[in-house]
Amino acid sequence: MRIRKAVFPVAGLGTRFLPATKATPKEMLSLVDKPLIQYVVEEAMAAGMNEIVMITGRNKNAIEDHFDRSVELEHILEKKGNMELLEMVRSISEMCDFIYTRQKEPKGLGHAVLRVKDVTDEEPFGVLLGDDIIYTEGSPVMTQLVDVFHKTGGSPVVAVERVPMEAVSSYGVIDGEPLGNGLYLIKSMVEKPPRDKAPSNMAIIGRYILTPDIYRHLENTPFDAKGELQLTGAINSLLKERKVYALEFKGKRYDAGDKLGFLKATVEFALRRPDLGDSFLQYLKTLKL
Ligand code: G1P
């Protein structure tokens, strides 16, 4: 079964990036010359998903505008004869179908995903978090997860990465049985455990493929002490009923929601760009580091 829908929870306030995110959504911060969210939408598209479902909140209009047509801008570029830019601007709005829904209060990732129950309907769907930008030389990470989904006969799968033990409390963490080739059968998972309670250092990274039965578990999962409904809790409950897998993906992940992570991504993405890489490298070499 083809996975057509990709869900993007983008209602977060971006407090780690203030003041840049006071009036601009963090998803619209630009990595070299493209907003973060477009990298992630392109990753979903490369995995065959062409219905993009965005769960937005206040101050997120720029995301809708970005993926909409800009007739005025297209007209100006056409008049100037700048066909290359015109084509690029047009292609953004023609990428796929976009559906927007609102999460009125920031009550956690699980709460956000539950908002789209009626939109994703009876189909499996992807979930992609825009803070995690992943560079791959081979298949994009969502494509790697889709492969696992098919190979396991349609089981839910999450992306994981080994992180230093002192960082585990920032992530959902899995306890998994290794099956080879980076694949794990998940035994349990826990959201943001203290270091001494973490079952491993295998952290969940913001890419998931879920099946519609997750909604029943979300509906039955209690809100946590912070008043949030966690997706991790619902998946942990789901895996008592069916197999759920984790894939240690191939690729390099940047936490672009964090200032240092964003700077690292900016430098490395710029260095990889055919049109900028050489001159940027020459410039960096002149710095007395
Ligand atoms: C969310 C999830 C967490 C996961 C992380 C990946 O946390 O709740 O399980 O490890 O995304 O980025 P957040 O970073 O939104 O607090």
Side-chain angles (χ1 to χ4, degrees), residues 18-31:
L18 283 167
T21 48
K22 188 170 174 234
T24 304
K26 64 174 174 176
E27 295 80 9
M28 290 302 294
L29 294 174
S30 178
L31 196 52

Side-chain angles (χ1 to χ4, degrees), residues 138-197:
S139 298
V141 174
M142 211 49 187
T143 308
Q144 296 176 34
L145 294 191
V146 169
D147 288 347
V148 171
F149 174 80
H150 289 304
K151 279 189 194 135
T152 58
S155 297
V157 50
V158 306
V160 291
E161 180 183 275
R162 286 183 194 282
V163 298
M165 260 338 259
E166 53 272 22
V168 286
S169 60
S170 302
Y171 297 92
V173 178
I174 69 150
D175 179 14
E177 179 192 325
L179 302 174
N181 285 332
L183 193 62
Y184 294 78
L185 180 65
I186 304 178
K187 292 196 261 185
S188 65
M189 59 171 71
V190 49
E191 180 69 6
K192 305 200 172 89
R195 185 182 170 157
D196 57 338
K197 298 253 164 59

Side-chain angles (χ1 to χ4, degrees), residues 32 265-278 280:
V32 187
T266 301
V267 170
E268 293 184 32
F269 273 69
L271 285 171
R272 288 188 199 109
R273 280 274 294 254
D275 57 336
L276 289 170
D278 283 348
F280 187 44

Side-chain angles (χ1 to χ4, degrees), residues 36-55:
L36 292 173
I37 188 74
Q38 192 177 333
Y39 285 89
V40 193
V41 167
E42 287 173 358
E43 186 186 323
M45 284 174 62
M49 301 167 186
N50 63 353
E51 287 179 43
I52 305 296
V53 183
M54 300 254 181
I55 307 158

